[in-house]
Amino acid sequence: MKIKKILVANRGEIACRIIRTAQDLEIETVAVFSEADRFSLHLGMADECVPIGPAPSSESYLKIENIIETAEFTDCDAIHPGYGFLAENAKFAAACEKAGIIFIGPSSKAIQTMGSKSRAKSIMEKAGVPVVPGYHGSNQDAKFLKKEADKIGYPLLIKAIAGGGGKGMRLVKSPAEFADALKGAQREGKASFNNPVVLLEKYIDTPRHIEVQVFGDTKGNVIHLYERDCSIQRRHQKIIEEAPAPGMTEKLRARLTGAAVAAAKAIGYVNAGTVEFIVDARGGLTDETNFYFMEMNTRLQVEHPVTELVTGLDLVELQILVAEGKALPVKQKDISLLGHAIEGRLYAEDPENNFLPQTGKLHWFQIPGESDTFRFDTGYAPEDEISVFYDPMIAKMICWGEDRDDAIERFLEVVSTSQIAGVRTNLPFLGAVCRAGAFRAGELSTHFIEENQDELKTGFDIPGRDIVLSATLGYISERKFERGQTRKGNDIFSPWMTGGWRLNHAYAETMKMALGDHHFAFEARPIGETGIWNFVFENNKIVSGYLDESHFPAALTCLNSEAGSVEYALFTYFHENSIYVMAGGNTAEVILEDAAHVGEAEAEGLGFIKAPMPGKILEVLAKNGGMVEKGDALVIMEAMKMEYTLKAPRAGKVKGLSAKVGDQVGDAALLLEIEEN
Ligand code: ADP
Ligand code: ADP
Ligand code: MG
């Protein structure tokens, strides 16, 4: 049956990506959106848009009845779930089946079967696919599980059988840690997937995550589209993916893809799926390397574009054809690998602070144009807000090269010519990973980030003072530009005016600026009409500088001090009290301080524990009046799909604790204080 109209039950980049292919196929689309997404990019692309509820996904994107009703009401004959949200929800697929709407994905039965990591492992074992040794039975008694754990040996992993996205998983390094870790995994499993059941797995030492894209159709054909390496992860979540896997041998590839196809065949799998393997990669990949089935993702994967770039196939198109009941239009022997592709997931998060998710507006968002070698999948436009309600992924940057080195070069070029201001992102971190020696050498493992920390520092290697002065020059130039635009005639004393004679040496403006924890105070004095400024610091040290704007919008900051002269190619963007300085993928935020900020700084004492972002309180470990040691866990909260433990920054006595389990707290809400004794 030919699909004529698709409801896209998702948001962000994946909604846009699906609509793009639907348009190519001349299929109409209906976008749905929550109250938080009223101005989102995917709405502008669809033929129709329907609101489906308030911002929290549980009241909108996850509301099965609302989505089915919307599809019926708008006469859609199919629904594409994207990834996340309802994509792996067997009930949703069943509801579509029941309503006579085509679910573009596998059958509800396949989703259900693979949705449980333990059931999937049993099936794979029977089909002769190697699985990680461990316990995946139904006995959930804590004492029993501990005994099984002791048998498996440490380190081991506890996984919520319904888990996903790295959630509900705990690494246990020694028997003593087992009990707490078990509770944590069960709690996350229950909270996020409504299922506290866990399995135990031997922890593979130097693991690589290599997955195989598979596709089945209703005619019984099952093919694979080669492998992807997704070993670069933080918090067990992928951030860089590539295809093919570096160092892959032909024999190992044949074994992996063979096992993946066998896995899909074992359950009569139809549509796109991914079989994830954990590969024991000590000493690199060889023909004999051991690998184990980890799980099967019964949906389109976030990182599917790397496969598209090396195979030339459109996976969403294949999904639609298969959903229409057609045979796969390609045979295994016709699918070849061409070149190499790398994807970096651009997240609103702070790589210098444990990858803590960030919220805020994308005031400035400039990315190089797409080309044959660069694809940019996003759901955000400048001035859009990264809200607390959804995953903080902003976009995917995907680069193609003739070989891996070529793809890495292209990726680095994209990172260093991209500029983002307003919300902190992992952009420079993605660049740092690709620059790291071990990455270039293809020495990957899921521990890559911990093991290469020293090479993965982000931020400018320019002295803070020079960043601040560059920001000041950018700010002056912008103000001059703005004044020029509005031509306020009464502003006669403004030195920013271009009308020369008003500038006299007596003019000086006191600047107070902050960069992180560092505060800078100085006077800015123009030198006549030269465009050169003297910055006079307290100790009477003078730095002079000017902005060479001939390369607008980027500018060259030239600074002269007793230490000599320096030049920086930087881009500045000014918004409210912030001046963002950008270059090479890095962004520094310089704050224009006024009197109001000073008082605030004093209240930032060490003992004040504030919510680092808006979120929900999952557990309160501290007690009013109780004593804590530095590093003790105080409160566990959840925000933006991440669990975050707030720890005591110093020893002392807890007071003013008001947070309760289940409370929703705002950004920077004061949760408790620790009084030094
Ligand atoms: P993929 O396996 O497709 O590369 P991930 O493993 O990062 O993607 O995430 C799996 C799915 O779970 C995605 O559909 C994503 O939207 C969603 N997801 C990502 N992070 C989390 C999380 N921390 N908790 C729950 N779901 C998540
Ligand atoms: P999720 O459903 O959350 O994606 P997975 O079972 O796919 O959970 O595991 C996520 C990641 O955790 C893997 O990509 C890998 O980095 C790590 N991991 C999973 N199982 C093991 C294991 N047995 N040994 C070592 N690392 C593992
Ligand atoms: Mg996984």
Side-chain angles (χ1 to χ4, degrees), residues 473 546-552 554-558 567:
L473 286 166
Y546 67 94
L547 207 59
D548 175 358
E549 287 180 289
S550 52
H551 313 280
F552 186 83
L556 213 55
T557 307
C558 311
E567 277 184 3

Side-chain angles (χ1 to χ4, degrees), residues 30-351:
V30 175
V32 292
F33 63 101
S34 75
E35 277 166 23
D37 282 338
R38 272 173 305 184
F39 304 107
S40 291
L41 215 55
H42 70 288
L43 306 185
M45 294 176 64
D47 297 302
E48 283 168 59
C49 309
V50 182
I52 47 161
S57 42
S58 58
E59 294 169 49
S60 48
Y61 297 105
L62 291 174
K63 275 254 177 206
I64 296 182
E65 321 82 71
N66 290 14
I67 289 174
I68 300 273
E69 255 174 46
T70 305
E72 287 175 332
F73 173 72
T74 52
D75 275 332
C76 285
D77 35 33
I79 295 183
H80 197 306
Y83 56 73
F85 294 133
L86 297 169
E88 288 179 287
N89 187 315
K91 274 196 201 125
F92 180 61
C96 292
E97 286 158 17
K98 191 160 159 252
I101 297 167
I102 297 172
F103 175 80
I104 303 177
S107 66
S108 59
K109 187 155 167 283
I111 298 177
Q112 198 184 13
T113 306
M114 289 295 148
S116 154
K117 288 185 202 280
S118 54
R119 192 164 347 125
K121 280 181 85 172
S122 304
I123 294 172
M124 291 308 140
E125 253 177 340
K126 280 198 202 109
V129 177
V131 302
V132 192
Y135 176 76
H136 48 90
S138 58
N139 192 338
Q140 294 291 304
D141 176 63
K143 277 205 191 107
F144 172 82
L145 288 175
K146 173 69 171 42
K147 272 207 195 112
E148 288 296 319
D150 292 343
K151 263 196 247 163
I152 298 164
Y154 300 85
L156 64 81
L157 274 179
I158 307 178
K159 290 185 185 176
I161 64 162
K167 273 198 121 176
M169 193 152 66
R170 287 288 188 283
L171 172 62
V172 190
K173 292 196 183 119
S174 67
E177 294 173 11
F178 186 81
D180 277 353
L182 177 64
K183 271 195 221 147
Q186 288 170 330
R187 180 184 59 233
E188 255 176 51
K190 181 85 181 75
S192 305
F193 312 102
N194 200 24
N195 187 346
V197 178
V198 297
L199 61 77
L200 308 178
E201 235 175 54
K202 177 178 144 62
Y203 188 69
I204 310 294
D205 212 16
T206 309
R208 268 169 74 170
H209 173 124
I210 300 181
E211 56 185 36
V212 178
Q213 176 73 54
V214 294
F215 241 104
D217 64 21
T218 51
K219 317 284 181 202
N221 301 307
V222 178
I223 57 170
H224 71 80
L225 272 56
Y226 300 98
E227 81 281 357
R228 294 184 285 257
D229 194 308
C230 314
S231 301
I232 308 295
Q233 307 180 341
R234 47 111 187 82
R235 284 202 302 272
H236 301 296
Q237 279 180 29
K238 306 155 183 173
I239 56 167
I240 290 184
E241 298 104 339
E242 50 186 310
M248 180 57 73
T249 73
E250 274 315 317
K251 262 212 182 117
L252 181 58
R253 173 174 290 142
R255 288 169 58 213
L256 273 166
T257 53
V261 168
K265 282 190 170 154
I267 58 162
Y269 194 78
V270 173
N271 218 297
T274 295
V275 184
E276 296 190 331
F277 296 100
I278 186 116
V279 176
D280 196 342
R282 246 170 313 172
L285 302 183
T286 66
D287 291 350
E288 281 76 42
T289 292
N290 284 322
F291 60 83
Y292 308 95
F293 170 84
M294 212 163 30
E295 65 165 347
M296 179 164 185
N297 292 325
T298 51
R299 56 174 158 85
L300 187 68
Q301 199 96 331
V302 175
E303 59 275 21
H304 75 278
V306 291
T307 299
E308 297 188 320
L309 291 195
V310 293
T311 61
L313 296 166
D314 178 332
L315 267 59
V316 174
E317 179 181 354
L318 295 184
Q319 283 194 295
I320 293 173
L321 293 178
V322 166
E324 286 177 335
K326 299 202 180 90
L328 281 162
V330 279
K331 297 252 167 334
Q332 190 67 62
K333 63 172 175 40
D334 303 326
I335 305 168
S336 52
L337 270 177
L338 184 66
H340 197 96
I342 295 185
E343 169 182 292
R345 300 191 191 186
L346 181 65
Y347 278 103
E349 66 182 20
D350 184 359

Side-chain angles (χ1 to χ4, degrees), residues 351-420:
E352 299 299 315
N353 184 11
N354 203 16
F355 303 99
L356 191 65
Q358 306 285 305
T359 55
K361 257 194 180 177
L362 286 166
H363 294 308
W364 183 259
F365 185 32
Q366 183 112 320
I367 307 291
E370 289 187 296
S371 66
D372 288 349
T373 56
F374 174 53
R375 169 170 159 185
F376 187 65
D377 284 15
T378 189
Y380 292 94
E383 288 304 320
D384 277 355
E385 173 125 16
I386 313 300
S387 80
V388 71
F389 297 106
Y390 314 109
D391 196 286
M393 191 173 82
I394 302 170
K396 304 184 305 205
M397 308 175 125
I398 314 116
C399 292
W400 185 88
E402 282 172 18
D403 55 27
R404 187 167 185 266
D405 286 339
D406 193 23
I408 292 175
E409 280 316 313
R410 186 73 181 106
F411 190 83
L412 286 172
E413 188 186 321
V414 166
V415 167
S416 59
T417 48
S418 295
Q419 299 163 349
I420 305 173

